[in-house]
């Protein structure tokens, strides 16, 4: 909701806490849902283990100014992700701008919140004499903080560090250690360690005692009611059968004026989806095109695309079976006022099937603390409790059964059910899954992020993604499939069918995992004459071509690392085609496994480099196919070494830009080493190679777009 859409009183954190009897407020800055999920987990732990009354909020729904009036007996907990180049997440950006303006002055004067808005709390409530100090508007605020970051990126957790120190400089007191979670290692582990170390401080501050008794039982996040479609209560207008097919848009704005972001993605039409590799290749890479005409989405070359997938039918079906419900049953899900949850689904009425298919993550394993705080209180039988307690109290048992094999929620629930039936638990004692328990266990569906592989100069209203279809065997040898890449893979079949009238079942590629095909989706949601639409939004990135077209660019992108570089290449081709005569050298190092199987975009690359090299003879493409020669691997960095003088000249003598894109682990490390090696060999005496590379990074001429 926009700031003006809610009356002020509802946007005040202390007022909201007071009216809901809360004493802890957890604020999440989340881009794809991890910080939000950890916030919910933390709030449950505080509730169960310490009898706290926490509330989890999205900063977009509240005013940052109201932090100054949070009761000194209460506590604020920040759970903030750092994104991009050390930036705030979208939902934290307004708070951040107000807290820290570029010249480090507070744009907002917290002291203006004094009368009439400001109510002096009673002495009882405060426990000491309260006076408002203009210089230190947050002197009554106590907070704890955990950041979500990644050490692979330069600005590790810089957002939480800046926000925390800003709050302290405004007078707030930080209790417990500042948690710095590292996604490169094990962020879950970092979170659990921080949670355990900070919780006693929090409990002490709010005056709660450690209580491991079961006085606080499970509180559901949602209240679920089944609705009869024929009843007067059912409002067909507000019934959403398919994610975002009808945006509940009160102002009835034209689509081109509706702001598109992760809370309100655009259902984009898929205009093309096809395989890029030879059918015999051991893995699939696909190209998917999205139409953004009619939407307010715009992008520039190098930005990222976020996609909301549809869950596998197998997973949805297994949960529906455990629930024992009809997937088409209409239900209403509203936030439970007694819970820590303050957010609602973006529609009023839905069905069991729809919620599980589009809105929740039904694949990621359930964490230990959710097993303890949500599932365990809902299990009656002793064998069922024993089964769970073993997983909750023994990290190795949990790892072996849940995290290492990537056990889905449905698989885990079935293991619990079999544990009970093996022990002949009576029917009355048996575990029965309710939808509110399930929803409290699951994370929200998170959007998946891909580098955009098209050029906005060439196709401003269509953007494309280049995606590896993820499939692997888990530790037990069972197949595991990436949800979004396999979902997008299924669209290649649908597009083929729609375009050529081909029946996809008669023409399956050998890899398409049978159960992963969205049979229901294909037969109902996407019946022959409906458009194939997928919810998307665009995330701005700083991975960009130089503004000056004459600057040389050296690009390294093996595998789907080619993706954003393909956009760069097409952008430069477009420049040449539009008559720009001084387009500088454009050099690509591309690699994959086999030249005749996964040389993706081969024709397009050959055509592009034909045009680029005709305009500038230094424009070249170098390829390395790693598995064509069984006797030795050839990688992109081998081609860099073979052309080291040329590469050094373009970057350091001609002032070129250097780009690396793809797998953040070994490839990036090895290519960086190659860059350092050739700099050492060619920079001559008197110059420091590490300084040269440092300068390259500082001036923005070295850029990475890497992932895991
Ligand atoms: P491989 O799978 O045969 O090892 C895209 O995945 C390409 O990147 C593949 O050809 C892959 O080779 C290659 N690759 C794997 N590790 C790499 C590394 N450390 N440096 C460069 N390329 C690498």
């Amino acid at each position: 909701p926009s700031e003006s859409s809610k009356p002020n009183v509802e946007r005040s954190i202390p007022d909201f806490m007071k009216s809901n009897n809360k004493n802890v407020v957890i604020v999440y800055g989340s881009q794809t849902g991890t910080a939000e999920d950890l916030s919910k987990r933390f709030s449950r732990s505080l509730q169960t283990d310490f009898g706290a009354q926490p509330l989890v909020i999205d900063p977009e729904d509240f005013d940052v100014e109201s932090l100054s009036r949070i009761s000194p007996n209460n506590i604020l907990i920040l759970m903030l992700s750092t994104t991009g180049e050390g930036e705030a997440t979208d939902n934290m950006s307004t708070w951040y701008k107000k807290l820290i303006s570029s010249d480090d002055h507070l744009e907002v004067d917290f002291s203006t919140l004094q009368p009439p808005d400001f109510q002096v709390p009673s002495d009882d409530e405060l426990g000491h004499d309260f006076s408002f100090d203009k210089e230190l508007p947050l002197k009554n605020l106590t907070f704890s903080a955990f950041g979500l970051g990644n050490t692979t990126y330069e600005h590790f957790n810089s957002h939480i560090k800046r926000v925390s120190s800003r709050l302290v400089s405004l007078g707030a007191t930080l209790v417990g250690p500042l948690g710095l979670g590292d996604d490169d290692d094990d962020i879950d582990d970092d979170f659990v360690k921080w949670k355990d170390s900070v919780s006693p401080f929090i409990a002490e501050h709010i005056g709660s005692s450690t209580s491991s008794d079961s006085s606080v039982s499970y509180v559901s996040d949602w209240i679920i009611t089944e609705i009869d479609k024929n009843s007067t209560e059912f409002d067909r207008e507000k019934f959403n059968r398919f994610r975002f097919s009808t945006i509940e848009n009160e102002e009835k704005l034209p689509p081109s004026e509706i702001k598109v972001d992760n809370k309100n993605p655009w259902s984009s039409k898929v205009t093309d989806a096809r395989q890029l590799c030879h059918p015999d290749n051991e893995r699939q890479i696909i190209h998917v095109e999205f139409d953004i005409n009619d939407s307010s989405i715009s992008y520039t070359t190098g930005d990222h695309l976020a996609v909301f997938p549809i869950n596998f039918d197998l997973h949805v079906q297994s949960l529906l079976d455990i629930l024992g419900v009809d997937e088409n049953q209409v239900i209403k899900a509203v936030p439970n006022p007694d819970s820590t949850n303050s957010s609602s689904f973006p529609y009023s009425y839905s069905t069991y099937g729809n919620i599980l298919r589009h809105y929740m993550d039904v694949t990621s394993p359930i964490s230990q603390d959710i097993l303890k705080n949500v599932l365990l209180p809902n299990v009656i039988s002793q064998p069922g409790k024993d089964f769970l307690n073993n997983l909750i109290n023994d990290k190795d048992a949990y790892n072996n059964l849940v995290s290492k094999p990537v056990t889905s929620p449905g698989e885990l629930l079935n293991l619990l059910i079999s544990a009970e039936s093996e022990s002949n638990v009576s029917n009355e004692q048996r575990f029965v899954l309710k939808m509110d328990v399930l929803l409290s266990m699951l994370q929200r569906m998170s959007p998946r992020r891909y580098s955009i592989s098209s050029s906005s100069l060439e196709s401003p209203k269509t953007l494309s993604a280049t995606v590896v279809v993820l499939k692997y065997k888990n530790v037990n040898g069972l197949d595991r499939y990436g949800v979004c890449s396999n979902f997008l893979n299924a669209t290649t079949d649908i597009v083929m069918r729609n375009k050529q009238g081909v029946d996809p079942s008669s023409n399956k590629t050998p890899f398409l995992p049978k159960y992963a095909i969205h049979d229901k989706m294909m037969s109902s949601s996407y019946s022959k004459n409906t458009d194939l639409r997928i919810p998307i939004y665009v995330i701005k990135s700083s991975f960009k071509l130089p503004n000056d077209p004459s600057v040389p660019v050296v690009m390294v992108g093996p595998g789907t690392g080619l993706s954003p570089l393909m956009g760069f290449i097409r952008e430069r081709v477009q420049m040449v085609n539009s008559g720009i005569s001084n387009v500088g050298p454009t050099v690509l190092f591309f690699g994959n496994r086999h030249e005749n199987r996964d040389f993706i975009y081969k024709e397009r690359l050959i055509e592009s480099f034909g045009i680029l090299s005709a305009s500038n003879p230094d424009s070249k493409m170098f390829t390395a196919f790693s598995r064509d020669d069984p006797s030795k691997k050839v990688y992109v960095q081998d081609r860099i070494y073979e052309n080291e003088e040329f590469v050094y000249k373009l970057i350091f003598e001609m002032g070129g830009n250097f780009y690396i894109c793809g797998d953040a682990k070994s490839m990036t490390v090895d290519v960086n080493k190659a860059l350092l090696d050739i700099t050492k060999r060619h920079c001559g005496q008197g110059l420091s190679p590490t300084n040269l590379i440092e300068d390259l990074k500082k001036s923005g001429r070295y850029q990475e777009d890497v992932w895991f």
Side-chain angles (χ1 to χ4, degrees):
S2 70
E3 268 183 55
S4 55
S5 70
K6 273 196 175 182
N8 244 351
V9 58
E10 283 185 17
R11 298 187 53 86
S12 154
I13 297 173
D15 290 349
F16 199 83
M17 290 176 78
K18 206 169 173 187
S19 59
N20 290 284
N21 271 325
K22 305 290 184 187
N23 53 12
V24 177
V25 60
I26 306 180
V27 175
Y28 61 83
S30 199
Q31 201 77 319
T32 54
T34 313
E36 182 183 351
D37 177 53
L38 295 187
S39 299
K40 288 187 177 157
R41 284 171 51 186
F42 193 25
S43 75
R44 284 202 178 270
S45 295
L46 288 172
Q47 203 169 29
T48 318
D49 298 341
F50 297 93
Q53 295 300 326
L55 174 74
V56 178
I57 64 164
D58 181 339
E60 261 185 351
D61 294 339
F62 291 89
D63 293 327
V64 65
E65 293 86 343
S66 67
L67 289 181
S68 64
R69 294 190 296 110
I70 289 181
S71 160
N73 298 332
N74 294 345
I75 193 164
L76 164 75
I77 296 165
L78 297 173
M79 305 278 295
L80 307 179
S81 291
T82 296
T83 67
E85 309 285 303
E87 288 145 36
T89 57
D90 291 344
N91 73 329
M92 248 313 271
S93 66
T94 305
W95 274 37
Y96 188 66
K97 271 185 217 132
K98 286 185 172 176
L99 278 172
I100 304 169
S101 62
S102 53
D103 59 1
D104 208 31
H105 275 104
L106 245 197
E107 279 178 338
V108 174
D109 182 359
F110 284 87
S111 59
T112 58
L113 291 170
Q114 284 190 72
D117 191 26
F118 184 66
Q119 287 176 352
V120 180
S122 70
D123 282 349
D124 276 350
E125 223 178 307
L126 294 171
H128 64 87
D129 192 25
F130 185 83
S131 65
F132 204 93
D133 185 332
K134 276 191 183 194
E135 257 79 67
L136 298 173
L138 299 184
K139 72 169 191 176
N140 289 305
L141 180 71
T142 301
F143 75 105
S144 295
F146 181 78
L148 294 88
N150 192 308
T151 39
T152 314
Y153 296 94
E154 207 180 326
H155 308 270
F156 176 59
N157 263 315
S158 64
H159 181 58
I160 192 80
K161 289 179 197 159
R162 294 180 71 178
V163 172
S164 299
S165 50
R166 187 64 181 147
L167 293 188
V168 170
S169 77
L170 291 168
T173 310
L174 176 68
V175 296
L178 178 67
L180 298 176
D182 180 9
D183 203 22
D184 188 36
D185 193 14
D186 184 348
I187 203 151
D188 208 81
D189 206 42
D190 295 339
F191 164 71
V192 171
K193 282 188 188 126
W194 172 79
K195 172 173 84 89
D196 291 345
S197 68
V198 86
S199 297
F201 290 101
I202 293 170
E204 191 189 324
H205 183 80
I206 58 171
S208 280
S209 57
T210 316
S211 71
S212 51
D213 64 357
S214 52
S215 57
V216 186
S217 57
Y218 153 81
V219 182
S220 77
D221 280 349
W222 311 93
I223 297 175
I224 311 288
T225 338
E226 292 191 351
I227 307 280
D228 180 354
K229 270 192 191 175
N230 301 317
S231 76
T232 46
E233 205 196 329
F234 180 57
D235 183 349
R236 187 164 293 276
E237 283 277 293
K238 291 184 174 168
F239 175 55
N240 191 326
R241 281 190 319 109
F242 177 61
R243 184 166 187 140
F244 309 113
S245 62
T246 50
I247 296 163
E248 275 182 31
N249 167 23
E250 279 150 34
E251 293 142 56
K252 296 269 182 277
L253 291 168
S256 59
E257 284 171 36
I258 299 173
K259 192 177 152 235
V260 175
D261 56 23
N262 67 345
K263 290 181 190 147
N264 196 23
W266 164 253
S267 279
S268 158
K269 197 156 93 186
V270 174
T271 47
D272 193 14
R274 61 191 145 86
Q275 303 291 334
L276 295 175
C277 299
H278 188 275
D280 293 342
N281 200 43
E282 62 264 34
R283 62 177 177 174
Q284 288 173 291
I285 302 176
I286 56 170
H287 170 90
V288 189
E289 274 179 27
F290 300 86
D291 179 4
I292 51 171
N293 267 300
D294 302 332
S295 78
S296 65
I297 300 178
S298 66
Y299 80 104
T300 56
T301 312
D303 284 345
H304 293 165
L305 171 73
V307 178
F308 285 94
I310 300 178
N311 283 317
F312 299 144
D313 228 42
L314 185 90
H315 287 125
V316 173
Q317 207 52 59
S318 97
L319 289 171
L320 289 168
D321 289 348
I322 301 170
L323 287 164
V325 296
D326 170 6
E327 70 163 299
N328 295 315
Q329 170 65 49
V330 176
I331 54 170
K332 193 173 179 172
V334 293
N336 180 359
D338 292 335
S339 79
T340 61
N341 173 30
S342 68
S343 59
S344 51
F345 282 106
Y347 55 83
S348 304
Y349 298 94
S350 191
T351 61
Y352 285 113
N354 185 50
I355 289 183
L356 295 177
R357 228 170 232 115
H358 302 289
Y359 289 93
M360 305 313 283
D361 177 344
V362 299
T363 348
S364 300
I366 305 289
S367 66
Q368 274 179 304
D369 49 78
I370 289 292
L371 291 181
K372 171 170 171 247
N373 298 326
V374 180
L375 193 53
L376 185 62
N378 286 288
V379 170
I380 314 166
S381 78
Q382 200 51 48
K385 284 184 180 165
D386 292 345
F387 171 81
L388 286 180
N389 274 322
N390 177 40
L391 298 178
I392 291 163
N393 300 323
D394 181 348
K395 184 86 189 165
D396 286 339
Y398 174 83
N399 284 344
N400 289 334
L401 197 77
V402 186
S403 67
K404 281 190 202 143
V406 206
T407 301
S408 73
E411 288 168 332
L412 187 76
L413 290 168
N414 277 324
L415 288 172
L416 165 69
I417 291 165
S418 355
E420 284 189 341
S421 43
E422 276 159 26
S423 310
N424 293 321
V425 169
S426 68
N427 280 344
E428 302 78 60
Q429 295 262 304
R430 275 201 189 163
F431 171 67
V432 177
L433 179 65
K434 292 271 175 264
M435 184 67 165
D436 65 89
V437 174
L438 179 60
L439 290 187
S440 301
M441 277 169 52
L442 300 178
Q443 300 170 37
R444 237 184 239 270
M445 170 78 87
S446 63
R448 312 307 204 266
R449 192 170 172 155
Y450 302 100
S451 301
I452 293 175
S453 56
S454 53
S455 147
S456 58
L457 195 62
E458 182 173 49
S459 65
K461 289 292 169 193
T462 307
L463 49 82
S464 67
T466 308
V467 177
V468 175
V469 181
L470 186 67
K471 177 187 169 184
Y472 63 96
K473 291 218 185 289
N474 76 356
V475 287
N476 302 328
L478 295 172
D479 285 331
R480 288 288 182 251
Y481 301 96
V483 175
C484 197
S485 60
N486 282 281
F487 162 64
L488 291 173
N489 196 20
T491 68
T492 62
D493 273 5
I494 299 167
V495 166
M496 183 166 68
R497 179 190 66 187
N498 285 353
K499 277 197 171 161
Q500 304 166 5
V502 179
D503 174 7
S505 58
S506 67
N507 201 350
K508 279 197 187 105
T509 63
F511 329 94
L512 207 56
K514 205 166 176 3
Y515 85 76
I517 302 175
H518 305 73
D519 288 329
K520 288 248 165 48
M521 174 190 89
M522 291 169 76
S523 57
S524 61
S525 304
Y526 297 125
S527 63
K528 265 207 173 96
N529 300 316
T530 31
D531 285 340
L532 178 55
R533 283 184 178 267
I534 296 176
I536 61 162
Y537 63 96
V538 163
I539 302 165
K540 298 282 161 209
S541 115
S542 53
F543 192 73
K544 296 287 163 219
L545 274 174
N547 288 331
D548 177 356
S550 70
V551 171
V553 296
V554 177
M555 306 177 286
V556 185
T560 46
L562 176 62
S563 184
L565 307 178
M566 196 66 213
F568 284 0
I569 292 162
R570 292 309 297 179
E571 185 106 345
R572 285 206 149 184
V573 167
Q574 203 59 23
M575 289 174 184
V576 171
N577 285 345
S578 66
I580 299 176
S581 60
N582 65 339
V583 175
T586 308
V587 173
L588 171 72
F589 290 90
F590 169 72
N592 228 338
R593 295 177 181 174
H594 308 281
E595 176 158 18
N596 60 3
R597 290 196 212 156
D598 59 10
F599 189 170
I600 58 173
Y601 298 118
K602 183 177 181 181
E603 287 75 33
R604 199 145 175 81
L605 281 169
I606 291 172
E607 179 225 281
S608 300
F609 276 93
I611 296 168
L612 291 169
S613 60
S615 158
N616 188 315
D618 276 342
S619 288
K620 286 179 188 154
M621 166 168 67
F622 300 96
T623 55
F625 292 96
S626 56
R627 302 189 188 184
D628 274 347
D629 179 352
S631 66
K632 71 170 197 309
K633 288 239 176 186
V634 190
Y635 285 155
V636 278
Q637 56 270 30
D638 299 314
R639 299 288 181 245
I640 295 176
Y641 285 119
E642 284 164 23
N643 296 280
E644 56 181 73
E645 263 170 71
F646 179 56
V647 170
Y648 182 83
K649 179 186 88 174
L650 293 181
I651 300 171
F652 294 103
E653 288 170 13
M654 294 172 67
N657 281 17
F658 186 73
Y659 299 89
I660 303 184
C661 187
D663 163 35
K665 290 258 186 260
S666 60
M667 188 278 291
T668 317
V669 174
D670 294 348
V671 172
N672 270 306
K673 183 176 172 298
L675 180 67
L676 182 63
D677 285 346
I678 67 171
T679 310
K680 272 183 193 155
R681 287 205 281 269
H682 296 274
C683 70
Q685 292 204 329
L687 282 175
S688 149
T690 38
N691 285 354
L692 282 174
I693 290 174
E694 246 343 277
D695 289 347
L696 205 63
K697 290 186 174 170
K698 277 199 196 115
S699 62
R701 286 168 45 218
Y702 170 102
Q703 296 186 23
E704 282 181 358
D705 182 7
V706 294
W707 56 78
F708 302 90

